[in-house]
Structures are given as C-alpha cells and as structure tokens.
Amino acid sequence: MSVPLYQLPEQQPLVWQPTSVEEAVHLKHQWGDDAVLVSGGTWLRTRWENGVSPLPQHLISLERIQALSGLAIDAGGLIHIGPLLHLADLMDNELMRARCRLLVQACAEIAAPSVRNLASIGGNVVTRTGDLIPALLVLDALVICSDGHTEQGVSLQKWLEGPVQSSFEVMTGITVPTIEHTGEEHTFEFYLKVGRRETFTPSVVTVAGRLRLAPDRTIQGIAIAAGGGSAVPARFNELEAITIGQPLSKQLLQSLHKGISEGFNAVADDYAGVAYRKQTAANLIVSECYKIWRRGGGADAPKS
C-alpha cells in the first residue's frame, strides 16, 4: 500500500480571483494572516508540501488582474515588466531577446519548462532569494508596489536591503532601463548558476555581471551581484566604485576576487557551507572578467 508524500487537509483553501489590485488588497485585509497572495504559486507550493509554511485558508489569486501581466517599452527606453508575466513568456518575447538578453538567459536557467510556464517574474523576486535577482540587480531594476491606493517605486537593491515587503502590498511592476551603445565602448554581460546538478536544481551560487569598457580598455561601468540558496542577493557597491577608471589587469582581477570572497554574505545549508559559496562566487565572477580581459588585448593581457 502506497503512502502519500504529504497529507492533504480535509478542507482545501478557498480561492479568490480579484480583477484589480485594490480588490486584492481589500481581500487581504479582510482575511489577514489566513490569506496569501499568489500568482503562479510554484515557490509557495514547495513550501506547503515540505511543511515549511502552513496551507492558508484563503488563496487570493492575482492571475485575473490583466494589468500585472503586461510587457512594454516606453519612449525613454524603459522596459516595463508585469510581475505576473511568466518566465517562459519573457523568454519567448522578441523585445526581451533584443533588449534584455541577460534576463532571458537567467530565466532559461530556472527549473524545468513546465515550471517556467507557471512561475512569474514577480514571484521569483518576492521570495527575496530568487535566481533572477542577481541579473535584475546588475540591470538596475526598479520595483513598484501598491497598497491598493498609491504606488511607490524603489530600486530593487534598496527594496532588498529594507524590511520584508508588507503582506498587504502588491508588486505591480518591475522596470529595467535599456542602455544605448555609442560604438565607442564595449559592454559585456554574464549570468552563471551553480547547482548540485546541471539542470532542474536549486542554486548553490548565482552570479551576474555587466562591464562597460572604454576604447582604452578602462572600466567605464561595472555591476556585479551574487546570490544563491537562502542568501539575499546583493551588489558589491564598494568594490564596483574602486574599479571605475581602472584598466582590466591581473592585479585588478586579484583585488576583485579578494573583495568578492570577503563581501559576499553567503548562507550555509545542508548542501554547501559559507566558505565554499564565497569561493565559488569569486571564482565565477573573476573567471568571466578574465575572459573579457583576454579578449580585450590590454597591455598585460594574456595571449592565450
């Protein structure tokens, strides 16, 4: 006789389907801690099945709020991403493929296709540990939240550094700026994820980076971020600041490695310790910078 992996409750949650953010927030206030706002629900489901979080009495589905699923670019080149947009839909969008390849690449590294067809961009961010976050950080993403009456935008970096989002707020948008290239500079981007196996696995370490080099191969702009596991992803702001104006060199790469190893706030779990995660994050980022250095042909760049 088979035994179920988990015991389903006798009474399943009631599912509410508001058609506006205002209605969703009202329902959340009405049911309080007995209700959870949900979109794709892929992350929440794993928590319920593993006993990490109790199954709530009420599920407030945001899927019928059409305004939260859009994708557009404004006259200023700002990409507006609806938080309910599914990962698979973002990956298939020609605009994102042309204007935001880094985020498309990050989506492709998450879970299996069946999960990407359900999981939402906003849901990945709301977890505060999602694998999309390092890529969004280096792209200087902005998150917009509403309390049902007013919306407020804040940089993703500040949002992560602040208190956990109120359960009575709804994320209504994520914006990512596009950058026009003049031809006098070269921009390089990378996204890497390390897990316990090649695919369909939670991340141990996830890193992303964006470097902009001038014709003389000095660094005009740099953004690097790391996360993975239970760590809240973060940018290395101080490290970025001291590299601006410097040429890529062996000495700079060594400094980056040391700074990342020391600055990454990794979190240990049953699969990997803090030291391993720090070392891996530093190795991944510096390896990508080394490839850029090697292609750049600087004075002390390696020839092979």
Side-chain angles (χ1 to χ4, degrees):
M1 180 174 123
S2 62
V3 178
L5 292 177
Y6 60 94
Q7 185 66 48
L8 289 173
E10 294 182 1
Q11 182 177 356
Q12 295 296 306
L14 293 173
V15 179
W16 302 84
Q17 296 183 308
T19 57
S20 69
V21 171
E22 293 78 9
E23 185 182 357
V25 174
H26 173 75
L27 286 169
K28 176 59 179 171
H29 278 285
Q30 179 178 345
W31 300 114
D33 293 338
D34 293 329
V36 171
L37 297 166
V38 62
S39 53
T42 55
W43 180 76
L44 287 172
R45 181 177 176 180
T46 61
R47 295 177 66 82
W48 297 332
E49 292 179 351
N50 293 325
V52 177
S53 298
L55 194 63
Q57 296 179 25
H58 303 271
L59 294 180
I60 304 171
S61 172
L62 304 176
E63 292 291 332
R64 294 184 62 188
I65 306 177
Q66 296 183 1
L68 301 184
S69 300
L71 180 63
I73 184 170
D74 64 24
L78 195 65
I79 299 174
H80 297 259
I81 303 170
L84 263 60
L85 187 70
H86 296 147
L87 272 61
D89 292 333
L90 185 146
M91 291 170 57
D92 293 338
N93 186 274
E94 292 299 325
L95 169 66
M96 298 304 292
R97 288 177 176 272
R99 293 294 194 99
C100 203
R101 291 191 296 269
L102 185 66
L103 194 55
V104 171
Q105 179 188 353
C107 287
E109 297 285 339
I110 295 176
S114 59
V115 174
R116 294 195 291 267
N117 285 328
L118 289 174
S120 66
I121 305 297
N124 191 274
V125 173
V126 165
T127 68
R128 299 174 70 89
T129 59
D131 287 340
L132 289 183
I133 296 176
L136 287 167
L137 282 171
V138 302
L139 292 170
D140 293 321
L142 184 85
V143 296
I144 303 168
C145 297
S146 172
D147 61 3
H149 301 286
T150 59
E151 286 188 327
Q152 183 176 10
V154 64
S155 72
L156 175 58
Q157 182 174 352
K158 289 185 178 179
W159 184 83
L160 291 169
E161 292 171 351
V164 175
Q165 178 187 9
S166 168
S167 61
F168 297 100
E169 286 185 339
V170 174
M171 183 179 292
T172 56
I174 300 171
T175 64
V176 178
T178 57
I179 300 176
E180 296 294 333
H181 304 306
T182 64
E184 298 179 352
E185 58 190 24
H186 301 278
T187 300
F188 303 87
E189 297 175 334
F190 60 85
Y191 175 89
L192 296 167
K193 172 183 170 181
V194 171
R196 289 176 285 122
R197 57 180 183 267
E198 186 175 354
T199 57
F200 309 158
T201 180
S203 63
V204 173
V205 173
T206 306
V207 301
R210 182 181 177 91
L211 272 72
R212 191 172 72 252
L213 302 182
D216 64 358
R217 317 310 294 176
T218 56
I219 298 175
Q220 295 283 15
I222 181 172
I224 49 178
S230 299
V232 177
R235 287 268 296 266
F236 296 90
N237 294 313
E238 294 182 3
L239 197 57
E240 293 170 4
I242 63 175
T243 64
I244 298 295
Q246 296 192 47
L248 275 175
S249 64
K250 182 178 180 179
Q251 181 179 3
L252 182 61
L253 294 180
Q254 291 173 336
S255 297
L256 280 175
H257 193 283
K258 183 175 185 293
I260 294 165
S261 296
E262 295 176 350
F264 179 32
N265 291 321
V267 178
D269 59 22
D270 293 339
Y271 304 109
V274 169
Y276 173 81
R277 293 175 192 267
K278 285 176 172 284
Q279 181 79 10
T280 302
N283 288 350
L284 290 174
I285 293 174
V286 172
S287 174
E288 292 302 306
C289 292
Y290 172 83
K291 294 174 185 176
I292 297 169
W293 178 43
R294 187 170 66 182
R295 292 197 298 266
D300 63 342
K303 303 303 180 184
S304 61

